[in-house]
Amino acid sequence: MKIGVLGSGQLGQMMCLEAIPMGHEFFCFSPDGNSPSGKVGAKETVFPYDSLKQLETWIQNLDVLSFEFENIPKPTLDFLKNQKSISIFPPPESLVIAQDRYLEKSYVRKLGFRTAEFFHLTKETSKFEVSISYPWIIKTLRFGYDGKGQVRVQNETEYQSFLQSAFQTEGSEYLIEEVISFQKEISIILTRFQNGDIVCYGAVENEHKHHILDLSIFPARIPIGLNLEAIELASKLAESLSYVGTIGVEFFIKENQLYLNEFAPRPHNTGHYTQDCQSFSQFYLHVQAITGNNPPSDVRPKPTLMKNILGNSYSESLNIAKELLRDDRYRLHLYAKEEAKPGRKMGHMNFKGTLEEVNSLFHDL
Ligand code: ATP
Ligand code: MG
């Protein structure tokens, strides 16, 4: 089939690396040329996401359209909702919800999920009192990733000083959240197929450094009951969205209770371990789901760790990674990005084994 995705970064790259051996053709549409997806065989079309005329022409050549980037402008998503001539998975509405933190948290609250207390902060609502006890995290309403656009506010004085510059840019909006003092962060990566079947390997445990995902440990070291509950919640969310494809759902665990943090309507960084877990990767499953195939019947993922490689001291990290590759349980995935900037995700390493087996070198990456 001819698969098109909006976005052309590393997630598209890893989808493309699965799609081509399955006999598909892969196309990407984004403002960036010479992209990670283009470098592995995706045919690039380079236009801004709001170029509706070009988008309309582009999709005429496709059998199915998907996404690898969630911050597609809303008018483009609205335009896609009205395109009846092409299958689009997941439904564009799931991106509309996920890209607005207020809509997202309100949506999952309506489904009955527990979340941090939150307040939608705009120029207008900033006049009102916020009945959430400190400390808070204030997040930009849209376009945040890797903890960008987040500030911690400890008390009223800090809030007042935040407000002084908060609305300098016209139309700025935020979400104020209660800080959850969690014991662990986990995520559920699941793939929902067109017949409603779901494939999920269970929770993965995540550690962040400087607000960026650093390490994922599969399986998560949490009680089985909590694991099953997280799978059930993520499945309920996917069903409510009529979702098809791979979705990542992030939770905090505090006092044995799950708080949904956010969801990503696409394969997720914390699911990269699946590439080397000796079962099917989240990208393979995504491609199978959006192209109308049935889920695989024999799914047996093994314990696997994933370590992100960032642009910070990139050449030193690569030296360590290459050293580790002498052991064939390690695998290196690089995204072929043009430039290594601090905080930029450049690649990751997977280890087929448990945390206990990993030597300290892995932590130095
Ligand atoms: P990413 O792209 O990495 O998922 P993001 O910028 O979309 O990040 P979040 O996932 O909401 O933002 O937050 C990033 C991290 O900040 C979380 O994984 C968690 O460690 C911390 N964090 C976010 N919200 C809260 C909260 N309400 N209480 C405690 N910690 C939080
Ligand atoms: Mg997150």
Short mmCIF file of all heavy atoms in Angstrom, two decimals, residues 210-267:
data_model
loop_
_atom_site.label_atom_id
_atom_site.label_comp_id
_atom_site.label_asym_id
_atom_site.label_seq_id
_atom_site.Cartn_x
_atom_site.Cartn_y
_atom_site.Cartn_z
N HIS A 210 16.50 15.89 33.58
CA HIS A 210 16.28 17.27 33.10
C HIS A 210 15.03 17.33 32.20
O HIS A 210 15.07 17.89 31.10
CB HIS A 210 17.50 17.80 32.33
CG HIS A 210 18.79 17.55 33.05
ND1 HIS A 210 19.05 18.09 34.27
CD2 HIS A 210 19.86 16.78 32.74
CE1 HIS A 210 20.23 17.68 34.69
NE2 HIS A 210 20.74 16.88 33.79
N HIS A 211 13.97 16.69 32.65
CA HIS A 211 12.65 16.71 31.96
C HIS A 211 12.64 15.96 30.63
O HIS A 211 11.67 16.05 29.88
CB HIS A 211 12.14 18.14 31.72
CG HIS A 211 12.12 18.96 32.96
ND1 HIS A 211 11.13 18.82 33.91
CD2 HIS A 211 12.97 19.90 33.42
CE1 HIS A 211 11.38 19.64 34.90
NE2 HIS A 211 12.49 20.30 34.64
N ILE A 212 13.71 15.25 30.29
CA ILE A 212 13.71 14.50 29.03
C ILE A 212 13.81 13.02 29.37
O ILE A 212 14.56 12.63 30.27
CB ILE A 212 14.90 14.90 28.12
CG1 ILE A 212 14.85 16.42 27.86
CG2 ILE A 212 14.87 14.13 26.81
CD1 ILE A 212 15.95 16.92 26.96
N LEU A 213 13.06 12.21 28.64
CA LEU A 213 13.11 10.77 28.89
C LEU A 213 14.56 10.29 28.77
O LEU A 213 15.24 10.58 27.78
CB LEU A 213 12.22 10.03 27.89
CG LEU A 213 12.22 8.51 28.04
CD1 LEU A 213 11.53 8.09 29.35
CD2 LEU A 213 11.56 7.84 26.85
N ASP A 214 15.00 9.55 29.78
CA ASP A 214 16.38 9.04 29.78
C ASP A 214 16.40 7.53 29.58
O ASP A 214 17.08 7.02 28.70
CB ASP A 214 17.03 9.43 31.12
CG ASP A 214 18.43 8.86 31.25
OD1 ASP A 214 19.22 9.03 30.30
OD2 ASP A 214 18.74 8.25 32.31
N LEU A 215 15.60 6.83 30.41
CA LEU A 215 15.67 5.38 30.45
C LEU A 215 14.26 4.79 30.52
O LEU A 215 13.42 5.30 31.27
CB LEU A 215 16.45 4.99 31.71
CG LEU A 215 16.89 3.56 31.89
CD1 LEU A 215 17.98 3.19 30.89
CD2 LEU A 215 17.42 3.34 33.31
N SER A 216 14.01 3.74 29.76
CA SER A 216 12.76 2.99 29.89
C SER A 216 13.09 1.54 30.24
O SER A 216 14.01 0.96 29.65
CB SER A 216 11.94 3.00 28.59
OG SER A 216 11.42 4.28 28.37
N ILE A 217 12.34 1.01 31.19
CA ILE A 217 12.61 -0.34 31.68
C ILE A 217 11.36 -1.18 31.44
O ILE A 217 10.28 -0.86 31.94
CB ILE A 217 12.90 -0.30 33.20
CG1 ILE A 217 14.07 0.65 33.49
CG2 ILE A 217 13.15 -1.69 33.76
CD1 ILE A 217 14.17 1.08 34.95
N PHE A 218 11.52 -2.23 30.66
CA PHE A 218 10.39 -3.14 30.39
C PHE A 218 10.74 -4.54 30.86
O PHE A 218 11.82 -5.04 30.52
CB PHE A 218 10.04 -3.17 28.90
CG PHE A 218 8.98 -4.20 28.60
CD1 PHE A 218 7.65 -3.90 28.83
CD2 PHE A 218 9.32 -5.48 28.18
CE1 PHE A 218 6.66 -4.86 28.61
CE2 PHE A 218 8.34 -6.43 27.95
CZ PHE A 218 7.02 -6.13 28.16
N PRO A 219 9.85 -5.20 31.61
CA PRO A 219 8.56 -4.72 32.08
C PRO A 219 8.72 -3.80 33.29
O PRO A 219 9.73 -3.88 34.01
CB PRO A 219 7.83 -5.99 32.47
CG PRO A 219 8.90 -6.98 32.80
CD PRO A 219 10.09 -6.63 31.97
N ALA A 220 7.73 -2.93 33.50
CA ALA A 220 7.77 -2.03 34.65
C ALA A 220 7.74 -2.86 35.93
O ALA A 220 7.04 -3.87 36.00
CB ALA A 220 6.56 -1.10 34.61
N ARG A 221 8.50 -2.41 36.92
CA ARG A 221 8.54 -3.13 38.20
C ARG A 221 7.43 -2.59 39.10
O ARG A 221 7.67 -1.82 40.03
CB ARG A 221 9.93 -2.97 38.82
CG ARG A 221 11.02 -3.60 37.93
CD ARG A 221 12.39 -3.07 38.25
NE ARG A 221 12.44 -1.64 38.08
CZ ARG A 221 13.48 -0.88 38.42
NH1 ARG A 221 14.55 -1.42 38.95
NH2 ARG A 221 13.44 0.42 38.23
N ILE A 222 6.21 -2.98 38.78
CA ILE A 222 5.03 -2.53 39.53
C ILE A 222 4.12 -3.73 39.77
O ILE A 222 4.23 -4.73 39.07
CB ILE A 222 4.25 -1.43 38.76
CG1 ILE A 222 3.78 -1.93 37.38
CG2 ILE A 222 5.09 -0.17 38.59
CD1 ILE A 222 2.80 -1.00 36.68
N PRO A 223 3.20 -3.61 40.76
CA PRO A 223 2.29 -4.74 41.03
C PRO A 223 1.44 -5.06 39.80
O PRO A 223 1.04 -4.16 39.06
CB PRO A 223 1.41 -4.24 42.17
CG PRO A 223 2.16 -3.10 42.77
CD PRO A 223 3.00 -2.50 41.69
N ILE A 224 1.15 -6.33 39.62
CA ILE A 224 0.41 -6.80 38.44
C ILE A 224 -0.96 -6.13 38.34
O ILE A 224 -1.42 -5.76 37.24
CB ILE A 224 0.30 -8.36 38.43
CG1 ILE A 224 -0.46 -8.86 37.21
CG2 ILE A 224 -0.30 -8.94 39.67
CD1 ILE A 224 0.31 -8.82 35.93
N GLY A 225 -1.60 -5.91 39.49
CA GLY A 225 -2.94 -5.30 39.50
C GLY A 225 -2.91 -3.91 38.88
O GLY A 225 -3.80 -3.52 38.11
N LEU A 226 -1.86 -3.17 39.24
CA LEU A 226 -1.72 -1.80 38.73
C LEU A 226 -1.42 -1.82 37.23
O LEU A 226 -1.92 -0.99 36.46
CB LEU A 226 -0.55 -1.15 39.48
CG LEU A 226 -0.63 0.33 39.81
CD1 LEU A 226 -1.94 0.70 40.46
CD2 LEU A 226 0.54 0.72 40.70
N ASN A 227 -0.62 -2.81 36.83
CA ASN A 227 -0.28 -2.97 35.41
C ASN A 227 -1.56 -3.23 34.60
O ASN A 227 -1.81 -2.57 33.58
CB ASN A 227 0.71 -4.14 35.28
CG ASN A 227 1.58 -4.01 34.04
OD1 ASN A 227 1.14 -3.49 33.02
ND2 ASN A 227 2.81 -4.48 34.13
N LEU A 228 -2.38 -4.14 35.11
CA LEU A 228 -3.62 -4.48 34.39
C LEU A 228 -4.56 -3.28 34.34
O LEU A 228 -5.22 -3.02 33.33
CB LEU A 228 -4.31 -5.67 35.07
CG LEU A 228 -3.56 -7.00 34.93
CD1 LEU A 228 -4.24 -8.10 35.78
CD2 LEU A 228 -3.51 -7.44 33.45
N GLU A 229 -4.59 -2.53 35.45
CA GLU A 229 -5.47 -1.36 35.49
C GLU A 229 -5.02 -0.32 34.46
O GLU A 229 -5.85 0.29 33.75
CB GLU A 229 -5.43 -0.75 36.90
CG GLU A 229 -6.51 0.27 37.15
CD GLU A 229 -6.36 0.94 38.52
OE1 GLU A 229 -5.83 0.31 39.46
OE2 GLU A 229 -6.78 2.12 38.61
N ALA A 230 -3.69 -0.13 34.33
CA ALA A 230 -3.16 0.84 33.35
C ALA A 230 -3.51 0.40 31.93
O ALA A 230 -3.90 1.22 31.09
CB ALA A 230 -1.65 0.99 33.53
N ILE A 231 -3.40 -0.91 31.67
CA ILE A 231 -3.76 -1.41 30.33
C ILE A 231 -5.24 -1.16 30.05
O ILE A 231 -5.64 -0.73 28.97
CB ILE A 231 -3.45 -2.93 30.21
CG1 ILE A 231 -1.96 -3.20 30.37
CG2 ILE A 231 -3.96 -3.50 28.89
CD1 ILE A 231 -1.60 -4.68 30.50
N GLU A 232 -6.05 -1.40 31.09
CA GLU A 232 -7.50 -1.23 30.92
C GLU A 232 -7.84 0.24 30.63
O GLU A 232 -8.65 0.54 29.75
CB GLU A 232 -8.16 -1.67 32.22
CG GLU A 232 -9.60 -2.03 32.09
CD GLU A 232 -10.13 -2.53 33.44
OE1 GLU A 232 -9.64 -3.57 33.93
OE2 GLU A 232 -11.00 -1.85 34.00
N LEU A 233 -7.19 1.16 31.36
CA LEU A 233 -7.46 2.59 31.15
C LEU A 233 -7.04 3.01 29.75
O LEU A 233 -7.78 3.71 29.04
CB LEU A 233 -6.74 3.44 32.19
CG LEU A 233 -7.23 3.32 33.64
CD1 LEU A 233 -6.35 4.14 34.57
CD2 LEU A 233 -8.69 3.77 33.76
N ALA A 234 -5.84 2.60 29.34
CA ALA A 234 -5.34 2.99 28.01
C ALA A 234 -6.24 2.41 26.92
O ALA A 234 -6.51 3.06 25.91
CB ALA A 234 -3.89 2.54 27.84
N SER A 235 -6.73 1.18 27.13
CA SER A 235 -7.61 0.55 26.14
C SER A 235 -8.94 1.32 26.06
O SER A 235 -9.47 1.56 24.97
CB SER A 235 -7.93 -0.90 26.52
OG SER A 235 -6.73 -1.62 26.69
N LYS A 236 -9.43 1.72 27.23
CA LYS A 236 -10.69 2.48 27.27
C LYS A 236 -10.53 3.80 26.52
O LYS A 236 -11.41 4.22 25.76
CB LYS A 236 -11.06 2.72 28.74
CG LYS A 236 -12.39 3.37 28.95
CD LYS A 236 -12.74 3.37 30.44
CE LYS A 236 -13.94 4.27 30.70
NZ LYS A 236 -14.22 4.41 32.13
N LEU A 237 -9.37 4.45 26.73
CA LEU A 237 -9.10 5.72 26.03
C LEU A 237 -9.07 5.49 24.52
O LEU A 237 -9.71 6.21 23.75
CB LEU A 237 -7.76 6.29 26.53
CG LEU A 237 -7.22 7.51 25.78
CD1 LEU A 237 -8.16 8.70 25.94
CD2 LEU A 237 -5.82 7.89 26.30
N ALA A 238 -8.31 4.45 24.09
CA ALA A 238 -8.19 4.18 22.65
C ALA A 238 -9.56 3.87 22.04
O ALA A 238 -9.90 4.36 20.96
CB ALA A 238 -7.22 3.02 22.43
N GLU A 239 -10.36 3.09 22.77
CA GLU A 239 -11.69 2.75 22.26
C GLU A 239 -12.57 3.99 22.14
O GLU A 239 -13.26 4.19 21.15
CB GLU A 239 -12.36 1.72 23.18
CG GLU A 239 -12.05 0.31 22.74
CD GLU A 239 -12.03 -0.70 23.88
OE1 GLU A 239 -12.67 -0.46 24.93
OE2 GLU A 239 -11.35 -1.73 23.71
N SER A 240 -12.50 4.85 23.15
CA SER A 240 -13.36 6.04 23.13
C SER A 240 -13.01 6.96 21.96
O SER A 240 -13.85 7.69 21.47
CB SER A 240 -13.25 6.80 24.45
OG SER A 240 -12.08 7.58 24.44
N LEU A 241 -11.75 6.91 21.52
CA LEU A 241 -11.31 7.76 20.40
C LEU A 241 -11.50 7.07 19.05
O LEU A 241 -11.15 7.64 18.02
CB LEU A 241 -9.81 8.09 20.56
CG LEU A 241 -9.39 8.96 21.75
CD1 LEU A 241 -7.87 8.90 21.96
CD2 LEU A 241 -9.83 10.40 21.55
N SER A 242 -12.02 5.84 19.05
CA SER A 242 -12.07 4.99 17.85
C SER A 242 -10.69 4.93 17.21
O SER A 242 -10.51 5.04 15.99
CB SER A 242 -13.07 5.52 16.81
OG SER A 242 -14.33 5.60 17.38
N TYR A 243 -9.70 4.77 18.07
CA TYR A 243 -8.31 4.87 17.66
C TYR A 243 -7.87 3.65 16.85
O TYR A 243 -8.23 2.52 17.18
CB TYR A 243 -7.45 4.97 18.93
CG TYR A 243 -6.08 5.51 18.71
CD1 TYR A 243 -5.82 6.86 18.82
CD2 TYR A 243 -5.02 4.66 18.36
CE1 TYR A 243 -4.55 7.37 18.59
CE2 TYR A 243 -3.76 5.16 18.12
CZ TYR A 243 -3.53 6.52 18.26
OH TYR A 243 -2.28 7.02 18.03
N VAL A 244 -7.10 3.87 15.81
CA VAL A 244 -6.43 2.77 15.08
C VAL A 244 -4.97 3.15 14.94
O VAL A 244 -4.65 4.25 14.49
CB VAL A 244 -7.06 2.54 13.69
CG1 VAL A 244 -6.21 1.56 12.88
CG2 VAL A 244 -8.48 2.01 13.82
N GLY A 245 -4.09 2.25 15.37
CA GLY A 245 -2.65 2.51 15.32
C GLY A 245 -2.06 2.41 16.72
O GLY A 245 -2.71 1.91 17.64
N THR A 246 -0.81 2.86 16.85
CA THR A 246 -0.12 2.79 18.13
C THR A 246 -0.31 4.10 18.89
O THR A 246 -0.20 5.18 18.31
CB THR A 246 1.38 2.50 17.90
OG1 THR A 246 1.50 1.23 17.26
CG2 THR A 246 2.15 2.49 19.21
N ILE A 247 -0.59 3.98 20.19
CA ILE A 247 -0.78 5.15 21.06
C ILE A 247 0.10 4.97 22.30
O ILE A 247 0.33 3.84 22.73
CB ILE A 247 -2.28 5.29 21.45
CG1 ILE A 247 -2.57 6.58 22.23
CG2 ILE A 247 -2.78 4.09 22.23
CD1 ILE A 247 -4.07 6.83 22.48
N GLY A 248 0.61 6.07 22.83
CA GLY A 248 1.39 6.03 24.08
C GLY A 248 0.64 6.80 25.15
O GLY A 248 0.23 7.94 24.92
N VAL A 249 0.42 6.16 26.31
CA VAL A 249 -0.33 6.81 27.38
C VAL A 249 0.54 6.86 28.64
O VAL A 249 1.00 5.82 29.11
CB VAL A 249 -1.65 6.05 27.68
CG1 VAL A 249 -2.53 6.85 28.63
CG2 VAL A 249 -2.41 5.75 26.39
N GLU A 250 0.79 8.07 29.14
CA GLU A 250 1.70 8.24 30.28
C GLU A 250 0.92 8.36 31.59
O GLU A 250 -0.05 9.11 31.65
CB GLU A 250 2.52 9.52 30.11
CG GLU A 250 3.35 9.57 28.85
CD GLU A 250 4.05 10.93 28.69
OE1 GLU A 250 4.05 11.75 29.62
OE2 GLU A 250 4.59 11.14 27.60
N PHE A 251 1.40 7.66 32.61
CA PHE A 251 0.77 7.73 33.93
C PHE A 251 1.82 8.00 35.01
O PHE A 251 2.97 7.57 34.90
CB PHE A 251 0.13 6.38 34.31
CG PHE A 251 -1.01 5.94 33.44
CD1 PHE A 251 -0.78 5.07 32.38
CD2 PHE A 251 -2.31 6.35 33.71
CE1 PHE A 251 -1.84 4.63 31.58
CE2 PHE A 251 -3.37 5.91 32.91
CZ PHE A 251 -3.13 5.06 31.85
N PHE A 252 1.39 8.66 36.08
CA PHE A 252 2.17 8.72 37.32
C PHE A 252 1.56 7.70 38.27
O PHE A 252 0.33 7.52 38.27
CB PHE A 252 2.04 10.09 37.99
CG PHE A 252 2.47 11.25 37.13
CD1 PHE A 252 1.69 12.41 37.07
CD2 PHE A 252 3.65 11.20 36.40
CE1 PHE A 252 2.08 13.49 36.29
CE2 PHE A 252 4.04 12.28 35.62
CZ PHE A 252 3.26 13.42 35.57
N ILE A 253 2.42 7.09 39.10
CA ILE A 253 1.89 6.23 40.17
C ILE A 253 2.19 6.90 41.50
O ILE A 253 3.35 7.19 41.82
CB ILE A 253 2.55 4.84 40.17
CG1 ILE A 253 2.29 4.14 38.83
CG2 ILE A 253 2.02 4.00 41.33
CD1 ILE A 253 2.92 2.77 38.73
N LYS A 254 1.12 7.20 42.23
CA LYS A 254 1.28 7.77 43.57
C LYS A 254 0.40 6.98 44.51
O LYS A 254 -0.81 6.85 44.27
CB LYS A 254 0.84 9.24 43.54
CG LYS A 254 1.04 9.94 44.85
CD LYS A 254 0.42 11.32 44.82
CE LYS A 254 0.26 11.86 46.20
NZ LYS A 254 -0.66 12.99 46.23
N GLU A 255 0.99 6.46 45.57
CA GLU A 255 0.26 5.67 46.56
C GLU A 255 -0.63 4.61 45.90
O GLU A 255 -1.82 4.52 46.19
CB GLU A 255 -0.56 6.60 47.48
CG GLU A 255 0.33 7.37 48.42
CD GLU A 255 -0.29 8.69 48.85
OE1 GLU A 255 -1.49 8.89 48.60
OE2 GLU A 255 0.46 9.51 49.41
N ASN A 256 -0.02 3.89 44.97
CA ASN A 256 -0.72 2.78 44.29
C ASN A 256 -1.90 3.21 43.44
O ASN A 256 -2.77 2.41 43.12
CB ASN A 256 -1.19 1.76 45.32
CG ASN A 256 -0.47 0.45 45.13
OD1 ASN A 256 0.51 0.38 44.37
ND2 ASN A 256 -0.94 -0.58 45.79
N GLN A 257 -1.94 4.49 43.08
CA GLN A 257 -3.02 4.96 42.21
C GLN A 257 -2.45 5.56 40.94
O GLN A 257 -1.36 6.15 40.96
CB GLN A 257 -3.85 6.01 42.95
CG GLN A 257 -4.67 5.38 44.06
CD GLN A 257 -5.64 6.35 44.65
OE1 GLN A 257 -5.31 7.50 44.90
NE2 GLN A 257 -6.87 5.90 44.87
N LEU A 258 -3.20 5.40 39.87
CA LEU A 258 -2.74 5.88 38.56
C LEU A 258 -3.31 7.25 38.25
O LEU A 258 -4.53 7.46 38.36
CB LEU A 258 -3.20 4.91 37.46
CG LEU A 258 -2.57 3.52 37.51
CD1 LEU A 258 -3.33 2.57 36.59
CD2 LEU A 258 -1.10 3.60 37.10
N TYR A 259 -2.43 8.17 37.87
CA TYR A 259 -2.84 9.50 37.41
C TYR A 259 -2.44 9.61 35.96
O TYR A 259 -1.25 9.49 35.64
CB TYR A 259 -2.12 10.60 38.20
CG TYR A 259 -2.53 10.70 39.64
CD1 TYR A 259 -2.12 9.75 40.57
CD2 TYR A 259 -3.32 11.75 40.07
CE1 TYR A 259 -2.51 9.84 41.90
CE2 TYR A 259 -3.70 11.86 41.40
CZ TYR A 259 -3.29 10.91 42.31
OH TYR A 259 -3.68 11.00 43.62
N LEU A 260 -3.40 9.82 35.06
CA LEU A 260 -3.02 9.98 33.66
C LEU A 260 -2.34 11.33 33.48
O LEU A 260 -2.88 12.37 33.89
CB LEU A 260 -4.24 9.87 32.75
CG LEU A 260 -3.88 9.79 31.25
CD1 LEU A 260 -4.82 8.84 30.52
CD2 LEU A 260 -3.92 11.16 30.59
N ASN A 261 -1.15 11.34 32.90
CA ASN A 261 -0.46 12.62 32.63
C ASN A 261 -0.83 13.13 31.25
O ASN A 261 -1.37 14.22 31.11
CB ASN A 261 1.05 12.45 32.78
CG ASN A 261 1.79 13.74 32.44
OD1 ASN A 261 1.30 14.84 32.72
ND2 ASN A 261 2.94 13.62 31.80
N GLU A 262 -0.54 12.35 30.22
CA GLU A 262 -0.90 12.77 28.86
C GLU A 262 -0.86 11.56 27.95
O GLU A 262 -0.37 10.50 28.34
CB GLU A 262 0.06 13.86 28.35
CG GLU A 262 1.51 13.43 28.29
CD GLU A 262 2.40 14.46 27.60
OE1 GLU A 262 1.90 15.50 27.14
OE2 GLU A 262 3.61 14.20 27.52
N PHE A 263 -1.38 11.72 26.73
CA PHE A 263 -1.25 10.65 25.76
C PHE A 263 -0.70 11.21 24.46
O PHE A 263 -0.85 12.40 24.16
CB PHE A 263 -2.57 9.88 25.56
CG PHE A 263 -3.66 10.62 24.85
CD1 PHE A 263 -3.76 10.60 23.47
CD2 PHE A 263 -4.62 11.33 25.57
CE1 PHE A 263 -4.79 11.28 22.81
CE2 PHE A 263 -5.66 12.01 24.91
CZ PHE A 263 -5.73 11.98 23.53
N ALA A 264 -0.03 10.35 23.69
CA ALA A 264 0.55 10.75 22.41
C ALA A 264 -0.10 9.90 21.33
O ALA A 264 -0.04 8.67 21.38
CB ALA A 264 2.05 10.52 22.43
N PRO A 265 -0.75 10.53 20.33
CA PRO A 265 -1.48 9.78 19.31
C PRO A 265 -0.56 9.29 18.20
O PRO A 265 -0.73 9.62 17.03
CB PRO A 265 -2.48 10.82 18.78
CG PRO A 265 -1.78 12.13 18.97
CD PRO A 265 -0.86 11.98 20.15
N ARG A 266 0.43 8.48 18.58
CA ARG A 266 1.49 8.03 17.66
C ARG A 266 2.38 7.07 18.44
O ARG A 266 2.28 7.01 19.67
CB ARG A 266 2.31 9.23 17.18
CG ARG A 266 2.77 10.08 18.36
CD ARG A 266 3.77 11.15 18.00
NE ARG A 266 4.00 12.04 19.14
CZ ARG A 266 4.72 11.77 20.20
NH1 ARG A 266 5.32 10.59 20.33
NH2 ARG A 266 4.86 12.64 21.19
N PRO A 267 3.29 6.36 17.74
CA PRO A 267 4.30 5.61 18.50
C PRO A 267 5.05 6.56 19.44
O PRO A 267 5.10 7.76 19.19
CB PRO A 267 5.20 5.05 17.40
CG PRO A 267 4.33 4.96 16.20
CD PRO A 267 3.41 6.16 16.29
#
